[in-house]
Every structure is written in structure tokens, then in C-alpha cells.
Amino acid sequence: EVQLVESGGGLVKPGGSLRLSCAASGFSFRSYSMAWVRQAPGKGLEWVSSISTSSSNIYYADSMKGRFTISRDNAKNSLFLQMISLRAEDTAIYYCARDNSFDHWGQGSLVTVSS
Amino acid sequence: SYELAQPPSVSVSPGQTVRITCSGDKLGDKYACWFQQKPGQSPVLVIYQDTKRPSGIPDRFSGSNSGNTATLTISGTQAMDEADYYCQAWDSTTVVFGGGTKLTVL
């Protein structure tokens, strides 16, 4: 069974940093591209970033470029999202998702940016 | 930047067929996916590559994509289908989601 478990969310002050993790199991992690998608409270889905199997191709939404960094560790079956210079508008549930078709999603990790 | 437009809400009676549209410039030249999200839950892929259903998705869900419009069709709609539905497509190296459609089963 495919499982994606996010962690690392929490309350952070504006301008602060946070690193999210996504632990993958139940499939060959190194064979799939991965992505982060977020959802602000009461709002729709917003793509954050995607990374290819070997990390050779990395893409970001324009509003996240320069502040967010996606990475992965295939040896540890893990996906990461480093976020800096956080703003109130970054408050959201952050989901990790498998593959370019987003065929499996984690339960999400809540990030709250507030003073 | 590329945009996908969905109606904010759609309603249907149980047992009827409902169609949810997703519009974007030359969307038919791209692959469209559809996701179902129920309150408090993570999104679930229900249609990928325009017309394909992942395993476990009932065959009352179907998709099409042509011209500027992708369509998710739910035949014989059930109360359990009440949810938010999002379309999605890749535009070169960018992922775009539609704004979502709230489906109400009356």
C-alpha cells in the first residue's frame, strides 16, 4: 500500500523558516517524481513544486521561487520542502503527492504563519 | 500564465448524470486530470490522462477532453459523490489547478 506521511509543520512567525518532510513507503520511491501541493484554509489546491526521480529536473510555482526549495533523498525514501521568508499567505496544509499525475497524496501537514 | 476555469458550484439529484467542466486555452492539447476532495480529507485522483480511471474508482466516473474544455461526468450520481472537484493540467513545466467545483447532491 502506498503511504505518504508528511511532518514538520507548525506555527512559525512571519519571516521564519520551516522544513517539511514526506516519508514514502509501499512503492519504489526512486522511480517516481514527487510534488508538493498546498491548500490555504477554505481555498483550492495550489501547486508548489515538483522534482524528478534523480532531482535533475525541479520546477516551482512563480510565487514560491527563491523562497522554497524542494529536495529528495532516494536512499531514505524521503521528500523535503525547505521554506524561508515565510508570509501569512503561506499558511496552508501542505501535501506531498506522488508522480506527475498526483496519483497518491499524503494526509497533509499544517503550516501556520502568524505572529 | 495558464489558467483553468471551473464553475464554482454544480448540483445534481441522486441517480442523475452531472457534468463538471474545466476550460483553458487549447486544453485539449494537454492531458487533464480530475481530483475529488471531501471535507477534511486529502484529494483523490479520479481521472488521469483525460479519460483513464485509477483502480478503485467507480466506473460511473468518466472524463473527456477536447478543444478548450475537459469534462468530468458522473453517471448515476450518489450521495457519497458530494465533494469538491478540481481539474489539473501541466503547462510546459508548470502545474495548474482549476479553482474547484463544489458538487452538491440534492
Side-chain angles (χ1 to χ4, degrees):
Chain A
E1 179 193 4
V2 172
Q3 282 203 319
L4 299 169
V5 180
E6 300 93 339
S7 60
L11 176 63
V12 60
K13 289 182 168 52
S17 302
L18 212 55
R19 188 189 195 217
L20 302 181
S21 299
C22 173
S25 61
F27 65 101
S28 176
F29 180 75
R30 64 179 66 247
S31 299
Y32 287 86
S33 61
M34 297 294 296
W36 289 98
V37 178
R38 73 182 185 182
Q39 187 170 35
K43 303 297 185 181
L45 302 175
E46 181 182 22
W47 172 70
V48 173
S49 180
S50 291
I51 186 168
S52 63
T53 55
S54 62
S55 305
S56 57
N57 294 304
I58 289 175
Y59 311 115
Y60 297 99
D62 285 345
S63 59
M64 271 60 109
K65 281 179 186 174
R67 296 192 303 123
F68 290 8
T69 302
I70 192 172
S71 62
R72 64 189 296 163
D73 185 337
N74 287 340
K76 295 183 178 180
N77 294 337
S78 295
L79 177 72
F80 305 101
L81 185 68
Q82 178 70 50
M83 304 182 290
I84 65 171
S85 303
L86 284 163
R87 310 162 180 163
E89 53 266 36
D90 294 318
T91 294
I93 296 173
Y94 285 74
Y95 297 100
C96 68
R98 189 183 81 162
D99 196 45
N100 290 334
S101 63
F102 306 91
D103 62 354
H104 289 273
W105 298 60
Q107 85 290 348
S109 184
L110 177 62
V111 172
T112 303
V113 184
S114 175
S115 54
Chain B
S1 61
Y2 194 78
E3 295 183 353
L4 294 174
Q6 299 181 235
S9 63
V10 172
S11 61
V12 63
S13 299
Q16 298 303 301
T17 296
V18 63
R19 294 175 180 82
I20 300 173
T21 59
C22 174
S23 299
D25 185 48
K26 297 180 181 178
L27 179 57
D29 292 343
K30 311 177 191 297
Y31 275 135
C33 294
W34 289 91
F35 300 89
Q36 175 194 70
Q37 187 179 33
K38 296 181 180 179
Q41 298 184 17
S42 301
V44 173
L45 178 68
V46 294
I47 294 290
Y48 68 102
Q49 290 183 9
D50 295 338
T51 62
K52 298 178 180 179
R53 274 181 293 106
S55 61
I57 301 301
D59 60 6
R60 63 179 180 273
F61 289 87
S62 62
S64 63
N65 186 16
S66 179
N68 295 322
T69 304
T71 302
L72 173 69
T73 301
I74 309 174
S75 305
T77 308
Q78 300 182 9
M80 68 172 65
D81 300 330
E82 186 164 285
D84 294 327
Y85 290 85
Y86 296 90
C87 61
Q88 174 264 318
W90 278 85
D91 178 46
S92 183
T93 59
T94 299
V95 174
V96 182
F97 285 97
T101 298
K102 181 176 181 58
L103 174 65
T104 301
V105 182
L106 298 171

